[in-house]
Amino acid sequence: MSDLKKIKDELLSKLKSKLTLSEINQIKSDLFGKNGLVSSQFKKIGVIAESERKKFASELNIIKDELQDLINSKINEIENSEIREKLQKEKIDITLPERPFVRGKIHPVSQTIDEISSIFSEIGFSVEEGPDVESEYNNFTALNTPDNHPARDMHDTFYLDEKKERLLRTHTSPVQIRTMLKDKPPFKIIAPGRTYRSDSDQTHSPMFHQVEGLHIDKNINMGHLKGCLNYFIKEFFELDKIKMRFRPSHFPFTEPSAEVDIGYEMKDGKIVIGEGDQWLEILGCGMVHPNVLKNVKVDPTKFQGYAFGIGIDRLAMLKYGINDLRAFFDCDYRWLNHFGFDPLDVPTNYRGLSR
Ligand code: DAH
């Protein structure tokens, strides 16, 4: 029996050290596997003297049970300690402060474009878009702008090639051309977007924003133009009454042409829109020139209408009390945090969502 005792002592000493699960499984198969130490003891039963056999077998069984118990409890111990270690490592400390949640802001220009679009969509205008890189034809020629017109000058326009065939659009008016070329009248669209001119000071930036308007149908006259713009201005500034005047002007693509001013006054160093006897120019407009309609294959004896171009940045500055245009494009996070809008805020004029 001393063999068995030796096996047990050896096992006990091995179990004292820290074992991994695979090490203990190895020990288990060394003992109880097909040719394991314990299994080979069982093979001895047949060859042992009969007088000894019963005692040997019973002692062998007892020790086998003991060894198995020892191994099983060691396995249990290892598994439990692995679980404990995992729990310790993966525990969540709910007393830690939360991570800061940074929510971006909507730029005042984007907010203003949304407001303008929703006001015009209320009265049947749909929204069109055009590219920033335009052809000279769409930007000037098709809009009845002659070759010698000052707007074509290099000092004003960013040309993109030597031949002056491609340029950064100087206004949103080429979207009128694109819209009328791809469809048949009537047209009732607005087109907000970026525009570019070689100009930079406190009130001019080389990139700025305009929204174009175009309404072409049968029997459209200047009264419609006045009614439409008057409605828009009142809605945009959220005022019941607003002083507005049409001043004769000139644009190659409209005849007659006008610029629109709104009344304002200064109160405590702040600009107040709608009252007073000062005038502020906010847009250009007119009745679309017959030559423009001919260029896009619309018969000017059957269809006519009005167009307008509004400076979006100027409107945003007036409505939200921002006095330096350049700040719009500085990308200063602190400025945007102050003047920007929360993403979930519904613009005051945006009726679409609340319905
Ligand atoms: N495109 C003109 C500009 O940038 C603005 C303008 C004037 C647009 C009259 C129009 C219009 O559609 O009819 O100064």
Side-chain angles (χ1 to χ4, degrees), residues 234-289:
K234 286 197 299 197
E235 286 287 304
F236 182 78
F237 287 107
E238 298 169 50
L239 292 168
D240 291 335
K241 256 180 81 180
I242 201 154
K243 264 169 68 178
M244 190 172 162
R245 78 175 179 194
F246 279 64
R247 197 164 25 78
S249 183
H250 170 78
F251 298 104
F253 32 88
T254 41
E255 182 60 39
S257 305
E259 278 170 309
V260 172
D261 303 332
I262 53 173
Y264 79 96
E265 65 182 353
M266 296 302 286
K267 262 193 193 152
D268 306 326
K270 278 197 176 153
I271 191 164
V272 182
I273 300 289
E275 310 161 22
D277 49 13
Q278 315 249 64
W279 295 103
L280 197 74
E281 181 206 320
I282 56 158
L283 63 92
C285 62
M287 299 306 290
V288 176
H289 198 291

Short mmCIF file of all heavy atoms in Angstrom, two decimals, residues 234-289:
data_model
loop_
_atom_site.label_atom_id
_atom_site.label_comp_id
_atom_site.label_asym_id
_atom_site.label_seq_id
_atom_site.Cartn_x
_atom_site.Cartn_y
_atom_site.Cartn_z
N LYS A 234 -42.20 90.11 -43.33
CA LYS A 234 -42.96 90.14 -42.07
C LYS A 234 -42.83 88.82 -41.32
O LYS A 234 -42.64 88.78 -40.11
CB LYS A 234 -44.44 90.46 -42.35
CG LYS A 234 -44.64 91.93 -42.70
CD LYS A 234 -46.08 92.37 -42.59
CE LYS A 234 -46.97 91.59 -43.52
NZ LYS A 234 -48.27 92.20 -43.75
N GLU A 235 -42.92 87.73 -42.06
CA GLU A 235 -42.78 86.42 -41.42
C GLU A 235 -41.38 86.24 -40.84
O GLU A 235 -41.21 85.76 -39.73
CB GLU A 235 -43.04 85.30 -42.43
CG GLU A 235 -44.48 85.11 -42.80
CD GLU A 235 -45.28 84.46 -41.68
OE1 GLU A 235 -44.90 83.37 -41.23
OE2 GLU A 235 -46.29 85.05 -41.26
N PHE A 236 -40.39 86.63 -41.63
CA PHE A 236 -39.01 86.40 -41.21
C PHE A 236 -38.67 87.18 -39.95
O PHE A 236 -38.08 86.65 -39.01
CB PHE A 236 -38.01 86.75 -42.34
CG PHE A 236 -36.59 86.49 -41.95
CD1 PHE A 236 -36.09 85.19 -41.97
CD2 PHE A 236 -35.75 87.52 -41.54
CE1 PHE A 236 -34.77 84.92 -41.58
CE2 PHE A 236 -34.44 87.26 -41.15
CZ PHE A 236 -33.95 85.96 -41.17
N PHE A 237 -39.07 88.46 -39.91
CA PHE A 237 -38.74 89.26 -38.73
C PHE A 237 -39.82 89.15 -37.64
O PHE A 237 -39.73 89.81 -36.61
CB PHE A 237 -38.49 90.72 -39.11
CG PHE A 237 -37.17 90.91 -39.82
CD1 PHE A 237 -37.13 91.16 -41.19
CD2 PHE A 237 -35.97 90.81 -39.13
CE1 PHE A 237 -35.91 91.31 -41.84
CE2 PHE A 237 -34.75 90.97 -39.78
CZ PHE A 237 -34.72 91.20 -41.14
N GLU A 238 -40.84 88.36 -37.90
CA GLU A 238 -41.93 88.13 -36.94
C GLU A 238 -42.58 89.44 -36.53
O GLU A 238 -42.75 89.74 -35.34
CB GLU A 238 -41.41 87.36 -35.72
CG GLU A 238 -40.90 85.98 -36.11
CD GLU A 238 -40.14 85.30 -34.99
OE1 GLU A 238 -40.67 85.27 -33.88
OE2 GLU A 238 -39.02 84.82 -35.25
N LEU A 239 -42.91 90.26 -37.53
CA LEU A 239 -43.54 91.56 -37.27
C LEU A 239 -44.83 91.66 -38.08
O LEU A 239 -44.92 91.16 -39.19
CB LEU A 239 -42.61 92.69 -37.71
CG LEU A 239 -41.32 92.87 -36.91
CD1 LEU A 239 -40.37 93.82 -37.63
CD2 LEU A 239 -41.62 93.37 -35.50
N ASP A 240 -45.85 92.35 -37.49
CA ASP A 240 -47.12 92.51 -38.20
C ASP A 240 -47.03 93.58 -39.27
O ASP A 240 -47.68 93.52 -40.31
CB ASP A 240 -48.24 92.89 -37.22
CG ASP A 240 -48.56 91.73 -36.32
OD1 ASP A 240 -48.31 90.58 -36.75
OD2 ASP A 240 -49.02 91.96 -35.18
N LYS A 241 -46.21 94.60 -38.95
CA LYS A 241 -46.09 95.72 -39.91
C LYS A 241 -44.62 96.01 -40.11
O LYS A 241 -43.85 95.98 -39.15
CB LYS A 241 -46.77 96.97 -39.33
CG LYS A 241 -48.13 97.25 -39.97
CD LYS A 241 -48.76 98.48 -39.38
CE LYS A 241 -48.19 99.75 -40.02
NZ LYS A 241 -48.80 100.97 -39.45
N ILE A 242 -44.26 96.27 -41.34
CA ILE A 242 -42.85 96.57 -41.58
C ILE A 242 -42.77 97.58 -42.72
O ILE A 242 -43.50 97.47 -43.72
CB ILE A 242 -42.06 95.28 -41.86
CG1 ILE A 242 -40.58 95.48 -41.61
CG2 ILE A 242 -42.27 94.77 -43.24
CD1 ILE A 242 -39.86 94.20 -41.26
N LYS A 243 -41.94 98.62 -42.54
CA LYS A 243 -41.79 99.62 -43.61
C LYS A 243 -40.87 99.05 -44.68
O LYS A 243 -39.80 98.55 -44.38
CB LYS A 243 -41.20 100.90 -43.04
CG LYS A 243 -42.27 101.92 -42.69
CD LYS A 243 -41.76 103.09 -41.90
CE LYS A 243 -40.82 104.00 -42.65
NZ LYS A 243 -40.39 105.15 -41.82
N MET A 244 -41.33 99.14 -45.94
CA MET A 244 -40.58 98.51 -47.02
C MET A 244 -40.69 99.40 -48.24
O MET A 244 -41.76 99.95 -48.52
CB MET A 244 -41.28 97.17 -47.27
CG MET A 244 -40.58 96.25 -48.16
SD MET A 244 -41.51 94.69 -48.09
CE MET A 244 -40.90 93.96 -49.55
N ARG A 245 -39.59 99.57 -48.98
CA ARG A 245 -39.71 100.37 -50.21
C ARG A 245 -38.97 99.71 -51.37
O ARG A 245 -37.95 99.06 -51.17
CB ARG A 245 -39.24 101.80 -49.98
CG ARG A 245 -37.76 101.95 -49.97
CD ARG A 245 -37.35 103.42 -49.85
NE ARG A 245 -35.90 103.52 -49.82
CZ ARG A 245 -35.22 104.58 -49.46
NH1 ARG A 245 -35.86 105.67 -49.07
NH2 ARG A 245 -33.90 104.59 -49.47
N PHE A 246 -39.56 99.87 -52.56
CA PHE A 246 -38.94 99.37 -53.78
C PHE A 246 -38.24 100.54 -54.45
O PHE A 246 -38.87 101.53 -54.78
CB PHE A 246 -40.01 98.79 -54.73
CG PHE A 246 -40.42 97.39 -54.36
CD1 PHE A 246 -41.05 97.13 -53.14
CD2 PHE A 246 -40.17 96.33 -55.21
CE1 PHE A 246 -41.42 95.84 -52.80
CE2 PHE A 246 -40.53 95.04 -54.87
CZ PHE A 246 -41.15 94.79 -53.66
N ARG A 247 -36.93 100.44 -54.62
CA ARG A 247 -36.14 101.50 -55.22
C ARG A 247 -35.70 101.04 -56.61
O ARG A 247 -35.19 99.94 -56.76
CB ARG A 247 -34.92 101.73 -54.33
CG ARG A 247 -34.19 103.01 -54.53
CD ARG A 247 -33.25 103.32 -53.35
NE ARG A 247 -32.80 102.14 -52.61
CZ ARG A 247 -31.85 101.30 -53.01
NH1 ARG A 247 -31.24 101.47 -54.15
NH2 ARG A 247 -31.50 100.27 -52.26
N PRO A 248 -35.96 101.88 -57.66
CA PRO A 248 -35.57 101.45 -59.02
C PRO A 248 -34.08 101.14 -59.09
O PRO A 248 -33.29 101.82 -58.45
CB PRO A 248 -35.91 102.66 -59.88
CG PRO A 248 -36.86 103.46 -59.09
CD PRO A 248 -36.57 103.20 -57.64
N SER A 249 -33.73 100.11 -59.82
CA SER A 249 -32.33 99.71 -59.91
C SER A 249 -32.07 99.09 -61.28
O SER A 249 -32.93 99.17 -62.16
CB SER A 249 -32.03 98.71 -58.79
OG SER A 249 -30.68 98.35 -58.79
N HIS A 250 -30.91 98.46 -61.42
CA HIS A 250 -30.67 97.79 -62.70
C HIS A 250 -29.98 96.43 -62.48
O HIS A 250 -28.98 96.34 -61.77
CB HIS A 250 -29.78 98.63 -63.61
CG HIS A 250 -29.34 97.86 -64.82
ND1 HIS A 250 -30.17 97.64 -65.90
CD2 HIS A 250 -28.20 97.18 -65.07
CE1 HIS A 250 -29.55 96.88 -66.78
NE2 HIS A 250 -28.34 96.59 -66.31
N PHE A 251 -30.56 95.41 -63.06
CA PHE A 251 -29.88 94.11 -63.17
C PHE A 251 -30.09 93.66 -64.61
O PHE A 251 -31.18 93.87 -65.16
CB PHE A 251 -30.50 93.07 -62.22
CG PHE A 251 -30.38 93.44 -60.76
CD1 PHE A 251 -31.48 93.94 -60.08
CD2 PHE A 251 -29.17 93.32 -60.09
CE1 PHE A 251 -31.38 94.30 -58.74
CE2 PHE A 251 -29.06 93.68 -58.76
CZ PHE A 251 -30.17 94.17 -58.08
N PRO A 252 -29.09 93.06 -65.24
CA PRO A 252 -29.25 92.69 -66.65
C PRO A 252 -30.36 91.66 -66.87
O PRO A 252 -30.93 91.60 -67.95
CB PRO A 252 -27.88 92.08 -67.01
CG PRO A 252 -26.95 92.47 -65.93
CD PRO A 252 -27.77 92.72 -64.71
N PHE A 253 -30.65 90.86 -65.82
CA PHE A 253 -31.60 89.73 -66.01
C PHE A 253 -33.02 90.08 -65.62
O PHE A 253 -33.90 89.22 -65.65
CB PHE A 253 -31.11 88.49 -65.25
CG PHE A 253 -30.35 88.82 -63.99
CD1 PHE A 253 -31.01 88.98 -62.79
CD2 PHE A 253 -28.97 88.99 -64.02
CE1 PHE A 253 -30.31 89.29 -61.64
CE2 PHE A 253 -28.25 89.31 -62.88
CZ PHE A 253 -28.92 89.46 -61.67
N THR A 254 -33.27 91.35 -65.24
CA THR A 254 -34.66 91.74 -64.92
C THR A 254 -34.98 93.09 -65.56
O THR A 254 -34.12 93.94 -65.73
CB THR A 254 -34.87 91.86 -63.38
OG1 THR A 254 -33.72 92.50 -62.81
CG2 THR A 254 -35.09 90.52 -62.74
N GLU A 255 -36.24 93.29 -65.88
CA GLU A 255 -36.71 94.56 -66.43
C GLU A 255 -38.21 94.69 -66.17
O GLU A 255 -38.97 93.89 -66.72
CB GLU A 255 -36.40 94.64 -67.92
CG GLU A 255 -36.80 95.93 -68.56
CD GLU A 255 -36.11 97.15 -67.94
OE1 GLU A 255 -34.92 97.06 -67.60
OE2 GLU A 255 -36.78 98.17 -67.76
N PRO A 256 -38.69 95.61 -65.36
CA PRO A 256 -37.88 96.53 -64.55
C PRO A 256 -37.20 95.82 -63.38
O PRO A 256 -37.59 94.72 -63.01
CB PRO A 256 -38.92 97.53 -64.03
CG PRO A 256 -40.21 96.78 -64.02
CD PRO A 256 -40.14 95.79 -65.15
N SER A 257 -36.21 96.51 -62.81
CA SER A 257 -35.48 95.96 -61.67
C SER A 257 -35.65 96.89 -60.46
O SER A 257 -35.87 98.09 -60.63
CB SER A 257 -33.98 95.89 -61.96
OG SER A 257 -33.73 95.16 -63.14
N ALA A 258 -35.53 96.30 -59.29
CA ALA A 258 -35.65 97.12 -58.07
C ALA A 258 -34.77 96.55 -56.97
O ALA A 258 -34.42 95.37 -56.98
CB ALA A 258 -37.11 97.14 -57.61
N GLU A 259 -34.44 97.42 -56.03
CA GLU A 259 -33.82 96.94 -54.80
C GLU A 259 -34.81 97.23 -53.69
O GLU A 259 -35.55 98.22 -53.75
CB GLU A 259 -32.48 97.63 -54.56
CG GLU A 259 -31.37 96.97 -55.36
CD GLU A 259 -30.07 97.74 -55.36
OE1 GLU A 259 -30.11 98.94 -55.64
OE2 GLU A 259 -29.04 97.13 -55.07
N VAL A 260 -34.84 96.36 -52.69
CA VAL A 260 -35.82 96.53 -51.62
C VAL A 260 -35.09 96.95 -50.34
O VAL A 260 -34.11 96.33 -49.94
CB VAL A 260 -36.64 95.23 -51.40
CG1 VAL A 260 -37.51 95.35 -50.15
CG2 VAL A 260 -37.49 94.94 -52.62
N ASP A 261 -35.60 98.01 -49.74
CA ASP A 261 -35.06 98.46 -48.46
C ASP A 261 -36.13 98.26 -47.38
O ASP A 261 -37.33 98.33 -47.67
CB ASP A 261 -34.75 99.97 -48.51
CG ASP A 261 -33.78 100.33 -49.63
OD1 ASP A 261 -32.98 99.47 -50.01
OD2 ASP A 261 -33.85 101.48 -50.11
N ILE A 262 -35.69 98.03 -46.16
CA ILE A 262 -36.65 98.00 -45.05
C ILE A 262 -36.28 99.11 -44.06
O ILE A 262 -35.12 99.50 -43.94
CB ILE A 262 -36.70 96.62 -44.33
CG1 ILE A 262 -35.31 96.17 -43.89
CG2 ILE A 262 -37.35 95.58 -45.20
CD1 ILE A 262 -35.33 94.91 -43.04
N GLY A 263 -37.32 99.60 -43.38
CA GLY A 263 -37.12 100.71 -42.44
C GLY A 263 -36.51 100.22 -41.13
O GLY A 263 -36.79 99.10 -40.69
N TYR A 264 -35.68 101.06 -40.54
CA TYR A 264 -35.13 100.72 -39.22
C TYR A 264 -34.76 101.97 -38.46
O TYR A 264 -34.72 103.08 -39.03
CB TYR A 264 -33.91 99.80 -39.35
CG TYR A 264 -32.63 100.50 -39.73
CD1 TYR A 264 -31.71 100.88 -38.75
CD2 TYR A 264 -32.34 100.77 -41.07
CE1 TYR A 264 -30.52 101.53 -39.10
CE2 TYR A 264 -31.16 101.41 -41.41
CZ TYR A 264 -30.25 101.79 -40.44
OH TYR A 264 -29.10 102.42 -40.78
N GLU A 265 -34.54 101.82 -37.16
CA GLU A 265 -33.96 102.92 -36.40
C GLU A 265 -33.03 102.35 -35.34
O GLU A 265 -33.09 101.16 -35.03
CB GLU A 265 -35.06 103.77 -35.75
CG GLU A 265 -35.88 103.05 -34.70
CD GLU A 265 -36.98 103.93 -34.13
OE1 GLU A 265 -37.03 105.13 -34.44
OE2 GLU A 265 -37.80 103.39 -33.37
N MET A 266 -32.15 103.23 -34.82
CA MET A 266 -31.22 102.79 -33.78
C MET A 266 -31.81 103.17 -32.42
O MET A 266 -32.21 104.31 -32.21
CB MET A 266 -29.86 103.46 -33.94
CG MET A 266 -29.11 103.11 -35.22
SD MET A 266 -28.79 101.36 -35.44
CE MET A 266 -27.49 101.09 -34.25
N LYS A 267 -31.94 102.19 -31.53
CA LYS A 267 -32.42 102.48 -30.18
C LYS A 267 -31.40 101.92 -29.20
O LYS A 267 -31.13 100.72 -29.23
CB LYS A 267 -33.78 101.80 -29.95
CG LYS A 267 -34.96 102.72 -30.14
CD LYS A 267 -36.24 102.09 -29.59
CE LYS A 267 -37.44 102.87 -30.08
NZ LYS A 267 -38.64 102.04 -30.17
N ASP A 268 -30.86 102.76 -28.34
CA ASP A 268 -29.83 102.36 -27.36
C ASP A 268 -28.70 101.57 -28.02
O ASP A 268 -28.29 100.51 -27.53
CB ASP A 268 -30.45 101.50 -26.23
CG ASP A 268 -31.62 102.20 -25.57
OD1 ASP A 268 -31.58 103.44 -25.47
OD2 ASP A 268 -32.58 101.50 -25.18
N GLY A 269 -28.26 102.06 -29.15
CA GLY A 269 -27.14 101.42 -29.85
C GLY A 269 -27.52 100.13 -30.56
O GLY A 269 -26.67 99.45 -31.11
N LYS A 270 -28.83 99.80 -30.54
CA LYS A 270 -29.25 98.56 -31.21
C LYS A 270 -30.17 98.88 -32.38
O LYS A 270 -30.94 99.83 -32.33
CB LYS A 270 -30.01 97.67 -30.21
CG LYS A 270 -29.08 96.88 -29.34
CD LYS A 270 -29.83 95.75 -28.69
CE LYS A 270 -28.86 94.89 -27.90
NZ LYS A 270 -29.50 94.21 -26.81
N ILE A 271 -30.09 98.02 -33.40
CA ILE A 271 -30.90 98.25 -34.59
C ILE A 271 -32.30 97.66 -34.37
O ILE A 271 -32.45 96.53 -33.92
CB ILE A 271 -30.19 97.65 -35.82
CG1 ILE A 271 -30.85 98.08 -37.10
CG2 ILE A 271 -30.12 96.14 -35.77
CD1 ILE A 271 -29.97 97.84 -38.33
N VAL A 272 -33.33 98.50 -34.64
CA VAL A 272 -34.70 97.99 -34.50
C VAL A 272 -35.35 98.00 -35.88
O VAL A 272 -35.50 99.04 -36.52
CB VAL A 272 -35.53 98.86 -33.51
CG1 VAL A 272 -36.94 98.29 -33.35
CG2 VAL A 272 -34.82 98.95 -32.18
N ILE A 273 -35.72 96.83 -36.34
CA ILE A 273 -36.26 96.66 -37.70
C ILE A 273 -37.74 97.01 -37.73
O ILE A 273 -38.48 96.72 -36.79
CB ILE A 273 -36.10 95.18 -38.14
CG1 ILE A 273 -34.63 94.77 -38.14
CG2 ILE A 273 -36.72 94.93 -39.50
CD1 ILE A 273 -33.82 95.38 -39.23
N GLY A 274 -38.16 97.63 -38.84
CA GLY A 274 -39.60 97.82 -39.05
C GLY A 274 -40.06 99.24 -38.81
O GLY A 274 -41.03 99.68 -39.40
N GLU A 275 -39.36 99.98 -37.92
CA GLU A 275 -39.77 101.36 -37.62
C GLU A 275 -38.69 102.33 -38.10
O GLU A 275 -37.68 101.92 -38.63
CB GLU A 275 -39.95 101.53 -36.10
CG GLU A 275 -40.79 100.45 -35.47
CD GLU A 275 -40.56 100.40 -33.95
OE1 GLU A 275 -40.10 101.40 -33.38
OE2 GLU A 275 -40.84 99.34 -33.37
N GLY A 276 -38.95 103.64 -37.80
CA GLY A 276 -37.90 104.63 -38.02
C GLY A 276 -37.80 105.12 -39.45
O GLY A 276 -38.54 104.66 -40.33
N ASP A 277 -36.87 106.07 -39.67
CA ASP A 277 -36.79 106.64 -41.01
C ASP A 277 -35.45 106.37 -41.69
O ASP A 277 -35.01 107.08 -42.57
CB ASP A 277 -37.09 108.15 -40.95
CG ASP A 277 -36.28 108.82 -39.87
OD1 ASP A 277 -35.33 108.17 -39.36
OD2 ASP A 277 -36.57 109.97 -39.52
N GLN A 278 -34.76 105.35 -41.25
CA GLN A 278 -33.54 104.94 -41.93
C GLN A 278 -33.87 103.74 -42.81
O GLN A 278 -34.77 102.97 -42.50
CB GLN A 278 -32.49 104.48 -40.91
CG GLN A 278 -32.36 105.40 -39.73
CD GLN A 278 -31.04 106.11 -39.75
OE1 GLN A 278 -30.78 106.90 -40.68
NE2 GLN A 278 -30.22 105.84 -38.77
N TRP A 279 -33.10 103.57 -43.89
CA TRP A 279 -33.38 102.47 -44.82
C TRP A 279 -32.18 101.55 -44.98
O TRP A 279 -31.05 102.00 -45.01
CB TRP A 279 -33.76 103.03 -46.20
CG TRP A 279 -35.03 103.81 -46.19
CD1 TRP A 279 -35.15 105.15 -46.20
CD2 TRP A 279 -36.35 103.27 -46.14
NE1 TRP A 279 -36.47 105.51 -46.17
CE2 TRP A 279 -37.24 104.38 -46.14
CE3 TRP A 279 -36.90 101.98 -46.10
CZ2 TRP A 279 -38.63 104.23 -46.09
CZ3 TRP A 279 -38.29 101.84 -46.07
CH2 TRP A 279 -39.13 102.95 -46.06
N LEU A 280 -32.48 100.28 -45.07
CA LEU A 280 -31.44 99.27 -45.18
C LEU A 280 -31.75 98.38 -46.38
O LEU A 280 -32.86 97.82 -46.47
CB LEU A 280 -31.51 98.44 -43.90
CG LEU A 280 -30.34 97.58 -43.55
CD1 LEU A 280 -29.21 98.46 -43.05
CD2 LEU A 280 -30.76 96.63 -42.43
N GLU A 281 -30.77 98.24 -47.29
CA GLU A 281 -31.03 97.42 -48.48
C GLU A 281 -30.90 95.94 -48.13
O GLU A 281 -29.94 95.53 -47.47
CB GLU A 281 -30.00 97.79 -49.54
CG GLU A 281 -30.18 97.03 -50.82
CD GLU A 281 -28.88 96.91 -51.58
OE1 GLU A 281 -28.11 97.90 -51.62
OE2 GLU A 281 -28.62 95.82 -52.12
N ILE A 282 -31.89 95.14 -48.53
CA ILE A 282 -31.78 93.72 -48.19
C ILE A 282 -31.85 92.76 -49.40
O ILE A 282 -31.50 91.60 -49.27
CB ILE A 282 -32.81 93.28 -47.14
CG1 ILE A 282 -34.22 93.61 -47.61
CG2 ILE A 282 -32.53 93.86 -45.77
CD1 ILE A 282 -35.23 92.75 -46.89
N LEU A 283 -32.33 93.26 -50.53
CA LEU A 283 -32.41 92.32 -51.67
C LEU A 283 -32.53 93.04 -53.00
O LEU A 283 -32.86 94.23 -53.06
CB LEU A 283 -33.59 91.36 -51.48
CG LEU A 283 -35.01 91.91 -51.44
CD1 LEU A 283 -35.65 91.90 -52.82
CD2 LEU A 283 -35.86 91.06 -50.50
N GLY A 284 -32.29 92.28 -54.07
CA GLY A 284 -32.51 92.77 -55.43
C GLY A 284 -33.59 91.93 -56.08
O GLY A 284 -33.72 90.74 -55.77
N CYS A 285 -34.37 92.56 -56.98
CA CYS A 285 -35.45 91.79 -57.59
C CYS A 285 -35.91 92.44 -58.90
O CYS A 285 -35.38 93.49 -59.30
CB CYS A 285 -36.63 91.68 -56.63
SG CYS A 285 -37.35 93.28 -56.21
N GLY A 286 -36.88 91.85 -59.54
CA GLY A 286 -37.44 92.45 -60.75
C GLY A 286 -38.26 91.44 -61.53
O GLY A 286 -38.42 90.30 -61.11
N MET A 287 -38.77 91.92 -62.69
CA MET A 287 -39.51 91.02 -63.57
C MET A 287 -38.50 90.39 -64.53
O MET A 287 -37.69 91.11 -65.14
CB MET A 287 -40.57 91.81 -64.36
CG MET A 287 -41.61 92.49 -63.49
SD MET A 287 -42.45 91.38 -62.34
CE MET A 287 -43.43 90.38 -63.44
N VAL A 288 -38.54 89.09 -64.65
CA VAL A 288 -37.52 88.37 -65.44
C VAL A 288 -37.47 88.90 -66.88
O VAL A 288 -38.51 89.02 -67.55
CB VAL A 288 -37.78 86.84 -65.41
CG1 VAL A 288 -36.78 86.11 -66.29
CG2 VAL A 288 -37.71 86.33 -63.98
N HIS A 289 -36.27 89.24 -67.35
CA HIS A 289 -36.07 89.83 -68.68
C HIS A 289 -36.48 88.81 -69.76
O HIS A 289 -36.11 87.63 -69.66
CB HIS A 289 -34.59 90.20 -68.84
CG HIS A 289 -34.35 91.17 -69.94
ND1 HIS A 289 -34.51 90.84 -71.27
CD2 HIS A 289 -33.97 92.48 -69.90
CE1 HIS A 289 -34.24 91.90 -72.01
NE2 HIS A 289 -33.92 92.91 -71.21
#
